[in-house]
Amino acid sequence: MTVIAPPQGLTIAEASERTGLTTHTLRYYERDGLMLRGVGRTSSGHRVYTERDLTWVRMLTRLRATGMPIREVKAYAALCRQGDGNETERLALLQNHRARVLAQLAEVTEHLGAIDNKIGIYQSTLERTES
Amino acid sequence: MTVIAPPQGLTIAEASERTGLTTHTLRYYERDGLMLRGVGRTSSGHRVYTERDLTWVRMLTRLRATGMPIREVKAYAALCRQGDGNETERLALLQNHRARVLAQLAEVTEHLGAIDNKIGIYQSTLERTES
DNA sequence: CTGACGCTTCGAGCGCACTCGAAGTCAAGC
DNA sequence: GCTTGACTTCGAGTGCGCTCGAAGCGTCAG
C-alpha cells in the first residue's frame, strides 16, 4: 500500500528502519509505557512517528543497551512525562545507572583479563607444539 | 548434621560459599553439563567438591560474567573434557568470545558517553535553577 | 529412639524482554 | 469493486538462566 508518510511523520516501518528495532518491539515499547507519550495516529489508526519520537527511542535504546531494566526506563519516562520540576530525580536515576554501568564495565574488564591469560596459555602451548 | 568435609573435599554448601553461587545453581550447572566431569560423591551420595572443581567453577563464572551463553560454556567444557589435542578449537572459542566482549565494552562505553551528556545537561539545568 | 538438618533428585515455575501469529481493517492500484 | 499488503490489536509463545518446592534419605545430638 505504500503508506504516504504524513507531513513530518514516519510510518512504523520507517521508524523501525531508522532505529534498528523491529515493528513488534516498537509497538511493545509503546504498549508498555516506555514512550514519552502515545505515538500519534493517522485517521485510519496507523502510527505516525515524529523526529521527537525517534530521538526518545534512541535514548531508550542507549539506556537498554547499557543494561537498564525496562521497569526503570519506564520510571524515567514517567518522570519526563510529568514535565519540569523533577530534574533532581531524573538526574539521580541516571547517575545511579551510570554508577552501575561503570561497576559492570570494571567487572567485565577484570574477568576479561583472566580470560586473556588463559588465551595466552593456549597460545604458548600451541607455539611449543607447532611445526 | 555438619557433614564432615571428606579429606580434601568440600560440601556443596562450602563450595557455594566460596564461589558465590547458590547450591541450586551449582547443581544446575552440573546437571546441565557445564562441569568438567561429574562432581564426586560420598558413600551417601552427597557431592564432594575438590579444589580443581572450584577452579573450574571460577572459570565458568568468568565466562558467564562476560556474557558467554551457557550453551557455549558447555561447548568449551566439552572440548576440555575431551583432553589434549583440541587446543586450537579452545583458543578459537575464547578468542571469539574475547572479540565479542571487546565490541560489547566499546558499545556500552559509547552509549554511556551519551548518557553522561544527558547527566551534564540536567546538572547545568539544576545549577541555573538553584538557590 | 526420635527429631532435626542438610543433603539428594525431579520437575515445575519465574522474570525478563521480546517475538510471533491470528484475525481484522483500510487505502491504493488494477 | 476486488485484491493486495502494510498496518491494527490481542494474546499467546519463546529462550534464557536460573530458582524453587516437594518428597525422601542418611547421620548425628539428645
Side-chain angles (χ1 to χ4, degrees):
Chain A
M1 119 208 205
T2 311
V3 165
I4 284 131
Q8 289 306 351
L10 303 163
T11 64
I12 193 170
E14 290 164 335
S16 161
E17 205 177 322
R18 301 206 189 180
T19 60
L21 300 175
T22 67
T23 57
H24 280 302
T25 303
L26 285 170
R27 289 193 204 98
Y28 164 65
Y29 280 179
E30 186 181 350
R31 240 194 290 172
D32 224 42
L34 271 70
M35 297 303 288
L36 264 189
R37 1 198 111 263
V39 175
R41 303 296 157 118
T42 62
S43 55
S44 56
H46 289 194
R47 286 171 178 79
V48 182
Y49 286 83
T50 64
E51 281 305 325
R52 288 194 71 240
D53 290 327
L54 292 202
T55 302
W56 176 252
V57 170
R58 278 189 275 267
M59 181 68 185
L60 285 194
T61 301
R62 291 192 188 286
L63 294 175
R64 292 288 306 119
T66 49
M68 184 183 284
I70 291 225
R71 87 185 89 76
E72 199 167 339
V73 177
K74 217 173 340 190
Y76 180 65
L79 286 174
C80 292
R81 206 177 299 128
Q82 257 183 45
D84 292 354
N86 56 20
E87 283 76 5
T88 311
E89 283 105 306
R90 295 189 213 171
L91 180 58
L93 190 153
L94 291 185
Q95 280 178 329
N96 236 296
H97 179 58
R98 179 186 140 87
R100 284 195 309 262
V101 174
L102 286 177
Q104 173 70 8
L105 283 175
E107 195 199 323
V108 168
T109 302
E110 192 210 318
H111 285 312
L112 188 59
I115 292 170
D116 280 349
N117 285 345
K118 199 78 184 175
I119 287 178
I121 290 169
Y122 280 127
Q123 280 172 337
S124 46
T125 302
L126 287 171
E127 265 165 42
R128 257 183 276 109
T129 314
E130 91 192 351
S131 119
Chain B
M1 128 210 203
T2 313
V3 165
I4 284 132
Q8 288 305 349
L10 303 163
T11 65
I12 194 168
E14 289 163 335
S16 161
E17 204 178 321
R18 299 205 189 182
T19 60
L21 301 174
T22 67
T23 57
H24 281 301
T25 302
L26 285 171
R27 288 192 206 99
Y28 164 65
Y29 280 179
E30 186 182 350
R31 241 194 291 171
D32 223 41
L34 271 70
M35 297 302 289
L36 265 189
R37 1 198 113 263
V39 176
R41 304 296 157 116
T42 63
S43 54
S44 55
H46 290 193
R47 286 172 178 79
V48 182
Y49 286 83
T50 64
E51 280 304 325
R52 291 194 70 239
D53 291 327
L54 291 201
T55 302
W56 176 252
V57 170
R58 278 189 274 265
M59 179 70 185
L60 285 194
T61 300
R62 291 192 188 284
L63 294 175
R64 292 289 305 119
T66 50
M68 184 183 285
I70 290 222
R71 87 183 90 74
E72 199 166 340
V73 177
K74 218 174 336 192
Y76 180 64
L79 286 174
C80 293
R81 207 176 297 127
Q82 258 183 45
D84 293 352
N86 57 20
E87 282 78 5
T88 312
E89 283 105 307
R90 294 190 214 169
L91 179 59
L93 191 153
L94 291 186
Q95 279 178 331
N96 237 295
H97 178 57
R98 179 186 140 85
R100 284 195 309 263
V101 174
L102 285 177
Q104 173 70 8
L105 284 175
E107 196 198 322
V108 169
T109 302
E110 192 210 317
H111 287 310
L112 188 59
I115 292 169
D116 281 348
N117 285 344
K118 199 81 184 174
I119 287 177
I121 290 169
Y122 279 127
Q123 280 172 336
S124 46
T125 301
L126 288 172
E127 265 165 42
R128 255 181 280 112
T129 315
E130 91 193 352
S131 118

